[in-house]
Amino acid sequence: MPETAWSLPLHCFAAAAAALVAFSRCLLGDVHFTNFDDDRNYEWNKHVQGLSVASLRWSIEDGTLIGVFEPVSNVLKMLLGSLVGITARSVVTTNVVLHACVVGVSVVVSERLVLHVRRAYFEGMLDHHPSTSSSPPPPPPPAILRPAMAASAVFFGCHPMRVEAVAWASCMPYLHAALFLQLSLYAHLRTTTTTTTKLPLLRVGFWRCVSFVSFALASFCKAPAVTFVGFLVILDACCDKLRRPRSATGYAALSVARRTMERGPEL
């Protein structure tokens, strides 16, 4: 296998390892639940102690704690309870691992996102200056792009603002939602086409289904995830504008409207 085939996994692993090292202190010494929400979410919540038909029914029909409805995250907590039990250490350890996964996966997603926007820009340049080239230039080499994406992921993953989401046991649903949203964005980027290539309809349909399901799962982990659809609309509309740099200003508004209609199922 060529050495470059390991480049992306190594960068993902390095970023995830940095996040693990940064938050490993959360697991030193005694680990305790806090008296702010953790008692109601874990200690007093018999439903998340294990996976059962009754607990699944509660999660789907009610699943509301402290006025928050997060059934998918509750099911994942039940799975954790069935496997290793619900303790302060098991929950915080899971948070640290989930956060490391979010950081590692972000390298892949951010690289594909940068290439996606760059491709739209150069397609617009070809449309504006058709005599420059017959096809967009190749993407930047991984030797340049991937270290930058990994560094960005490490900055995000080790930033002090991540402490609350990782060290506070009750914030586990945010980490669940973050993973599902990254999968949704990755799947969405896999559906894009260029002016020179067209993806098979079956493949596009598959990745759109993955994107929609992942978005729905994230929304049922944490309600603020529903705003993510707005990011997808803006991303697509901006890339539409990049592909047509000579279009009138009103084209941007029409593009936003069209992309919003396309996102009807999510909305």
Side-chain angles (χ1 to χ4, degrees):
M1 183 177 293
E3 184 178 355
T4 55
W6 293 97
S7 175
L8 185 56
L10 286 175
H11 282 86
C12 295
F13 178 79
L20 280 175
V21 171
F23 287 96
S24 61
R25 293 183 61 187
C26 296
L27 305 175
L28 298 179
D30 294 332
V31 182
H32 303 282
F33 284 125
T34 68
N35 58 0
F36 186 62
D37 290 355
D38 285 354
D39 47 7
R40 287 169 287 183
N41 281 322
Y42 295 103
E43 294 181 292
W44 304 342
N45 185 4
K46 62 180 181 180
H47 299 288
V48 301
Q49 302 304 318
L51 190 62
S52 65
V53 175
S55 59
L56 285 174
R57 182 175 179 180
W58 167 82
S59 182
I60 296 172
E61 295 182 354
D62 185 1
T64 303
L65 290 171
I66 322 176
V68 179
F69 182 62
E70 42 192 33
V72 172
S73 188
N74 284 332
V75 172
L76 294 175
K77 293 176 185 176
M78 295 171 195
L79 183 60
L80 175 65
S82 296
L83 293 175
V84 298
I86 295 294
T87 64
R89 180 169 293 277
S90 68
V91 173
V92 176
T93 300
T94 302
N95 278 9
V96 173
V97 173
L98 284 172
H99 179 62
C101 291
V102 169
V103 173
V105 172
S106 69
V107 178
V108 180
V109 178
S110 58
E111 177 182 305
R112 185 170 285 270
L113 178 61
V114 168
L115 294 178
H116 171 72
V117 176
R118 185 177 185 273
R119 184 185 301 115
Y121 170 77
F122 279 106
E123 287 178 358
M125 291 298 97
L126 290 178
D127 179 67
H128 192 58
H129 302 287
S131 61
T132 56
S133 176
S134 59
S135 62
I144 297 175
L145 181 61
R146 285 175 184 166
M149 297 299 99
S152 176
V154 170
F155 178 79
F156 162 80
C158 300
H159 196 281
M161 288 187 68
R162 307 285 87 77
V163 172
E164 180 180 348
V166 180
W168 185 11
S170 290
C171 285
M172 183 183 287
Y174 287 102
L175 300 171
H176 291 153
L179 269 178
F180 285 125
L181 288 180
Q182 289 204 86
L183 177 57
S184 178
L185 177 57
Y186 176 81
H188 171 69
L189 295 174
R190 292 295 299 265
T191 67
T192 58
T193 59
T194 69
T195 55
T196 57
T197 61
K198 299 296 181 182
L199 296 177
L201 183 61
L202 184 61
R203 184 187 302 177
V204 171
F206 169 77
W207 284 113
R208 283 185 176 174
C209 287
V210 172
S211 181
F212 172 76
V213 171
S214 301
F215 168 76
L217 291 173
S219 299
F220 285 113
C221 285
K222 209 63 186 176
V226 299
T227 60
F228 181 71
V229 68
F231 167 79
L232 295 181
V233 169
I234 294 172
L235 171 65
D236 288 342
C238 288
C239 287
D240 289 342
K241 181 62 177 177
L242 287 174
R243 292 187 181 97
R244 297 185 59 180
R246 293 179 293 180
S247 59
T249 304
Y251 175 79
L254 291 176
S255 181
V256 170
R258 179 171 64 87
R259 292 297 185 173
T260 302
M261 293 179 64
E262 291 177 356
R263 290 286 162 186
E266 290 95 328
L267 295 172

